[in-house]
Amino acid sequence: MHELERLFASGEGEARWEAELRMLFESGDLDAAHGLLAAALDALGTDLSRECLATSPESVTLSGWSELVEAIALNEGDPITGVTLAIANEADNAFEKGQIHRPYMMLGLYSDEGYAFSRANSSDLIAQTKAPDGPAWAGHDEDIEVYLECDGLEQINTRLIFHKQRHFFRDGNPASAPTRYVEYVLACWWRALLFHQAIASECAIHGLPGGIPVLAGMVEMRPEAVTVHGIGARNPEADRENEQARGVAEILPANFVSRRVVHEEKEFSGADLRRRVAETGQEDAPVKKGFVARLFGR
């Protein structure tokens, strides 16, 4: 029996395990998170766990990053000092069987108008996502259109959307959790890890002007794993002036956008969840109320 089958027998055990893993994401220790998840997936030995391990960080890439860098550098308004970035799935895609589902990306660009990103550290930014009334930057995103895409998560994402054991109802105090449920939880975390590693790679190789922080997470996709990427020696105004002094004068097309409205869901009871699974086959249990608003300020 896999150790997580025993641990996930109780909701408290699963919550403790996820809390420890979430701390690794929030601290930016993606290498430690990778080692923990890779070991667990390898020990599980299912088809999906092997597919996860076969999908390496190098196989997941982001396109449009250079356009993002240029758009920030050429912005004529207040300097961009913070970025929020996430992946999400289209609504009702569980009904579209037989297709490959690539998650789309959501992007928000912010100046210091609503929140002083330029003076915030990682802990400050993550604390804002947990504020009961939402982050201070809510509603202050800049009207700059940039389109990003994430490639390489399609197969795992599709497998998770149509997974047969997305929920585990612990009726009767079970001694262990189903293997397929453990597989699902691990694969969800692996998807999140690969997404964050792709952002970390872009930040390490290309960065953003002025060392702008990128607050990244998932929208209505398990898990709630937030990481701050790319914080450096930040001076957005000076960085932008340097870019302009070097003669960067190209006008970017206005067709780079990926902002979509995501509607929050109510808190669900066990009966609500069972009915939802039976009627819609939706991928995940509802995310904690307000998380999308906290992350993106929508």
Side-chain angles (χ1 to χ4, degrees):
M1 180 183 294
H2 194 281
E3 62 175 335
L4 294 185
E5 292 179 75
R6 294 191 184 92
L7 187 61
F8 288 7
S10 70
E12 294 80 6
E14 180 180 348
R16 286 196 305 272
W17 181 85
E18 290 202 315
E20 292 176 3
L21 193 54
R22 189 172 290 108
M23 286 179 60
L24 294 177
F25 276 75
E26 291 185 359
S27 67
D29 196 350
L30 298 181
D31 288 342
H34 186 280
L36 189 156
L37 287 169
L41 287 165
D42 184 58
L44 194 62
T46 65
D47 287 342
L48 180 55
S49 68
R50 285 188 287 270
E51 183 174 345
C52 286
L53 292 173
T55 308
S56 66
E58 293 75 23
S59 64
V60 179
T61 59
L62 302 182
S63 59
W65 196 269
S66 59
E67 288 83 1
L68 175 61
V69 172
E70 289 185 81
I72 291 173
L74 295 174
N75 175 42
E76 296 181 355
D78 292 337
I80 299 301
T81 56
V83 173
T84 59
L85 191 60
I87 52 173
N89 278 317
E90 299 285 355
D92 299 327
N93 56 14
F95 294 104
E96 301 175 8
K97 294 186 177 180
Q99 299 183 29
I100 299 298
H101 297 282
R102 179 173 65 180
Y104 68 84
M105 296 188 68
M106 300 178 66
L107 173 68
L109 302 174
Y110 300 87
S111 69
D112 276 358
E113 177 187 3
Y115 179 77
F117 282 93
S118 61
R119 295 192 295 273
N121 58 31
S122 296
S123 297
D124 296 331
L125 295 173
I126 290 174
Q128 283 289 315
T129 70
K130 301 175 183 179
D133 296 327
W137 60 76
H140 293 281
D141 50 315
E142 299 293 322
D143 187 19
I144 301 173
E145 297 184 340
V146 181
Y147 182 69
L148 299 175
E149 287 189 341
C150 182
D151 296 304
L153 290 177
E154 299 88 351
Q155 295 297 330
I156 293 175
N157 189 57
T158 302
R159 290 283 299 271
L160 290 173
I161 289 172
F162 299 114
H163 199 277
K164 300 300 184 183
Q165 183 93 51
R166 297 186 295 274
H167 308 283
F168 173 35
F169 304 106
R170 297 173 176 87
D171 299 327
N173 297 318
S176 64
T179 301
R180 288 200 301 180
Y181 177 72
V182 173
E183 169 191 77
Y184 174 73
V185 174
L186 286 173
C188 284
W189 278 96
W190 191 255
R191 174 179 60 184
L193 175 67
L194 292 173
F195 171 61
H196 281 293
Q197 288 174 321
I199 298 173
S201 177
E202 291 294 340
C203 288
I205 297 172
H206 305 293
L208 290 177
I212 295 171
V214 179
L215 179 65
M218 327 280 284
V219 171
E220 293 190 338
M221 297 168 71
R222 187 171 183 168
E224 292 185 6
V226 180
T227 304
V228 179
H229 301 271
I231 285 184
R234 288 171 287 176
N235 190 342
E237 185 63 48
D239 192 274
R240 180 171 59 172
E241 290 175 356
N242 290 338
E243 288 289 341
Q244 293 171 343
R246 286 196 294 266
V248 180
E250 293 183 7
I251 303 300
L252 297 176
N255 61 342
F256 297 98
V257 66
S258 183
R259 290 197 186 100
R260 309 190 185 202
V261 176
V262 179
H263 299 286
E264 290 184 19
E265 300 190 42
K266 68 168 186 174
E267 297 287 352
F268 279 64
S269 66
D272 289 332
L273 282 172
R274 290 180 173 86
R275 183 165 55 255
R276 175 173 175 172
V277 173
E279 293 176 354
T280 69
Q282 287 296 307
E283 177 195 355
D284 299 304
V287 295
K288 187 187 304 179
K289 184 178 181 181
F291 175 68
V292 175
R294 291 198 300 273
L295 179 58
F296 284 94
R298 294 289 185 260

